[in-house]
Amino acid sequence: MTAGEAIRARIMELITERGITVNKLAMKSGITQSTLQNITGGRNHSASVSTVQKLCDGLDISLRDFFNSDLFDNLEQEIR
């Protein structure tokens, strides 16, 4: 799994736990719906730390909480 795939999976995991939609998270985070839909839909293969921080703010969690998941163990190295 790549870092982008892990971030996408973690976002989906967290919104499912909270019973909210991607669009609701975008509104709460202050990012555009299209940006978040591109991340969760796999069209954007990476998300900046500042975008993840905004998502964390919308979810009312810390970056540490976001990345505290088995999804981020053993990520593939991405070479581009």
Side-chain angles (χ1 to χ4, degrees):
M1 178 178 291
T2 66
E5 291 167 340
I7 288 170
R8 183 176 323 113
R10 183 66 169 147
I11 292 167
M12 298 309 293
E13 180 178 87
L14 290 166
I15 64 172
T16 298
E17 285 176 6
R18 286 161 174 73
I20 61 173
T21 64
V22 169
N23 292 340
K24 177 77 172 185
L25 177 57
M27 287 188 330
K28 291 179 70 164
S29 301
I31 63 173
T32 64
Q33 291 178 359
S34 62
T35 296
L36 188 51
Q37 288 173 339
N38 285 339
I39 294 168
T40 58
R43 291 177 293 285
N44 180 337
H45 298 287
S46 63
S48 69
V49 173
S50 61
T51 298
V52 175
Q53 177 63 61
K54 288 177 183 179
L55 294 171
C56 290
D57 292 345
L59 292 163
D60 198 30
I61 62 173
S62 68
L63 277 171
R64 181 183 306 255
D65 291 334
F66 183 88
F67 288 108
N68 186 22
S69 169
D70 292 342
L71 292 167
F72 298 101
D73 293 343
N74 305 312
L75 294 177
E76 297 173 18
Q77 182 171 352
E78 298 178 54
I79 301 173
R80 293 188 188 224

